Amino acid sequence: MNLEFTQEELDFQKSIRAWMRENVPEALERVSALGNMPTKSQQQQWERCLGKQGWLALTWPEQYGGPGWTATQRYIFDIERAMAGAPPTSPFGVAMVGPVIYTFGSPEQKERWLPGITSGETLWCQGYSEPNAGSDLASLKTRAERKQDHYLVNGQKIWTTQAHWADMMFCLVRTDPEAKKQQGISFLLIDMKTPGIEIRPIYSIDGHHHLNEVYFTDVEVPLENLVGQEGMGWTIAKFLLTHERTTIAGVADSYYALARMKQAIEDVPYYTDKPSARRRMAELEVELMALEYTNFRTVAATDEGKPFGPESSGLKIKGTELQQKMSQAMVEIGGLMSLAWDSPSVVGNESFNNAPRRYNFLRACTIYGGSNEIQKNVLAKMLLGL
Ligand SMILES: Cc1cc2nc3c(=O)[nH]c(=O)nc-3n(C[C@H](O)[C@H](O)[C@H](O)COP(=O)(O)OP(=O)(O)OC[C@H]3O[C@@H](n4cnc5c(N)ncnc54)[C@H](O)[C@@H]3O)c2cc1C
């Protein structure tokens, strides 16, 4: 693997950097600098802006709206995006349901749903988890009964990120309660405005509302919203999860977090123990570089046409552990400055203000996308043959 950028790649990097400088809204940069999360309108405005450039669905084949970039170009873009203070793209449309639709969907489904994803117009959420069906996803019970021209959906989903923002949900439902657990599941696309859907907020430990419970009572979903065949949901679910896990490694955003941490330390004139803070940051940087090279290998393999495999589980484990370590370091290095949870004013250095909020949110990253214990089971089985 050649790790030097070519002259064309350096030119590409320069042009992306200049574009980001012109196009990332100042308000969005500030949100990132404070370690906050964008609002729905900030996020969607940014995604529409990328969509206009054809830069939203970076990994997709060109025929469906991808930019036709190499893995290296995508990597350069992601680093430049993060370092410019722009948020990552919401994964549900671009990284999850999009690849499902262009791989398993009918021509009509591709025509109907893909343009809304590549333009950033349609927001999606993921209806997989249920009470008693998280790690053991195949135990899901939400029922979809086939009627004449629609499915009648009844049941409950939980931990549904951004359900209150979303126009559409991709949802695993049980279409055959008699079949073996995995075989009776199907993959449906559900319009969130359909009567019978109720969304209830769950407030998480970081004080925000990202999560929801979603209840379905006699919700009618047209038959044409079934992706693939009835009973094929489990195959599709597994395909989608490997896509989900690679995006969770979050290398570019960890570089941004590290840069903020370094800046924070340098900005505080009375900070006494800079040498030990710098040593800690160097250790984190080394770990991040190691993760980055593993990420390179996986992403480069996909350029050669190889599908994502179980190594996406390894990326998920290491990436999320590192995100947690970095947020912990930010809180500990900030010390008293990081206790400014509710302070509206800047304390010490503004980057420390939201350190505990971010720290608390990231406790969940080893759980979402399939818990890290489950990823270790996948590696044990698929890579080590245990
Ligand atoms: C912030 C956040 C956002 C989320 N967003 C979404 C979303 O948008 N859509 C969605 O569908 N879901 C979402 N989830 C749900 C997430 O995918 C589940 O929480 C996760 O799969 C774990 O399931 P569970 O919570 O039911 O825990 P459980 O499955 O009950 O697990 C509890 C503990 O037991 C361990 N465990 C369970 N089984 C095994 C085993 N066989 N071997 C070893 N250890 C095991 C787990 O690792 C975990 O530590 C989100 C979760 C969080 C926290």
Side-chain angles (χ1 to χ4, degrees), residues 310 374-386:
I374 295 297
Q375 305 314 315
K376 286 177 188 171
N377 286 349
V378 171
L379 290 178
K381 216 160 127 186
M382 312 274 290
L383 281 185
L384 305 176
L386 298 174

Side-chain angles (χ1 to χ4, degrees), residues 63-64 97-115 187 189 222-229 232 236:
Q63 68 180 118
Y64 298 124
V97 76
V100 163
I101 293 174
Y102 68 65
T103 307
F104 300 96
S106 64
E108 295 74 29
Q109 287 172 337
K110 292 179 196 176
E111 201 178 320
R112 177 153 180 214
W113 300 113
L114 296 182
F187 193 97
L189 309 178
L223 293 184
E224 67 258 25
N225 284 19
L226 172 77
V227 180
Q229 318 297 317
M232 198 183 173
I236 298 179

Side-chain angles (χ1 to χ4, degrees), residues 181-367:
K181 247 166 109 176
Q182 280 87 348
Q183 285 162 6
I185 296 172
S186 300
F187 193 97
L188 279 189
L189 309 178
I190 302 181
D191 186 329
M192 293 299 279
K193 285 185 211 72
T194 320
I197 297 182
E198 189 197 343
I199 302 170
R200 294 187 200 163
I202 300 174
Y203 293 92
S204 47
I205 194 171
D206 59 351
H208 284 300
H209 170 206
H210 331 272
L211 299 164
N212 302 276
E213 294 178 289
V214 182
Y215 292 83
F216 301 92
T217 310
D218 290 337
V219 173
E220 294 186 12
V221 179
L223 293 184
E224 67 258 25
N225 284 19
L226 172 77
V227 180
Q229 318 297 317
E230 227 177 64
M232 198 183 173
W234 192 246
T235 307
I236 298 179
K238 283 192 299 183
F239 165 90
L240 181 145
L241 284 174
T242 53
H243 279 260
E244 175 176 1
R245 280 169 203 150
T246 46
T247 61
I248 289 176
V251 170
D253 294 283
S254 287
Y255 269 115
Y256 179 72
L258 196 69
R260 272 180 51 229
M261 201 190 298
K262 284 181 185 171
Q263 190 63 47
I265 290 302
E266 299 312 320
D267 282 355
V268 182
Y270 50 83
Y271 198 92
T272 48
D273 197 6
K274 288 194 184 184
S276 76
R278 288 192 188 118
R279 197 174 322 113
R280 188 155 180 192
M281 288 188 291
E283 282 165 15
L284 290 167
E285 191 158 14
V286 169
E287 277 197 58
L288 182 53
M289 286 166 83
L291 174 69
E292 183 182 25
Y293 286 114
T294 310
N295 204 22
F296 273 150
R297 276 198 293 272
T298 316
V299 174
T302 62
D303 257 2
E304 291 161 19
K306 295 180 192 150
F308 289 129
E311 57 278 17
S312 64
S313 293
L315 282 173
K316 201 262 165 176
I317 295 168
K318 289 309 292 179
T320 51
E321 285 177 354
L322 191 55
Q323 285 168 38
Q324 289 189 340
K325 271 193 194 172
M326 289 176 61
S327 66
Q328 183 167 348
M330 188 75 177
V331 171
E332 289 175 3
I333 289 172
L336 286 176
M337 290 180 285
S338 306
L339 294 179
W341 175 283
D342 279 331
S343 170
S345 58
V346 168
V347 179
N349 174 291
E350 63 181 0
S351 302
F352 289 117
N353 278 60
N354 276 314
R357 206 183 278 282
R358 186 100 190 116
Y359 168 86
N360 279 333
F361 173 71
L362 285 173
R363 295 309 93 192
C365 71
T366 46
I367 301 172

Side-chain angles (χ1 to χ4, degrees), residues 92 125-130 132-136 157-162 210-211 244 361 364 367-374 377:
F92 306 110
C125 64
Q126 176 185 29
Y128 272 28
S129 306
E130 297 181 10
N132 303 316
S135 302
D136 182 17
K157 296 288 168 184
I158 195 166
W159 311 123
T160 322
T161 304
Q162 295 172 2
H210 331 272
L211 299 164
E244 175 176 1
F361 173 71
I367 301 172
Y368 57 66
S371 74
N372 284 16
E373 290 79 14
I374 295 297
N377 286 349

Side-chain angles (χ1 to χ4, degrees), residues 130 140-144 153-157 172-174 216:
E130 297 181 10
L140 65 92
K141 289 200 167 59
T142 293
R143 179 85 171 94
V153 179
N154 280 284
Q156 182 198 350
K157 296 288 168 184
L172 292 178
V173 290
R174 189 158 296 285
F216 301 92

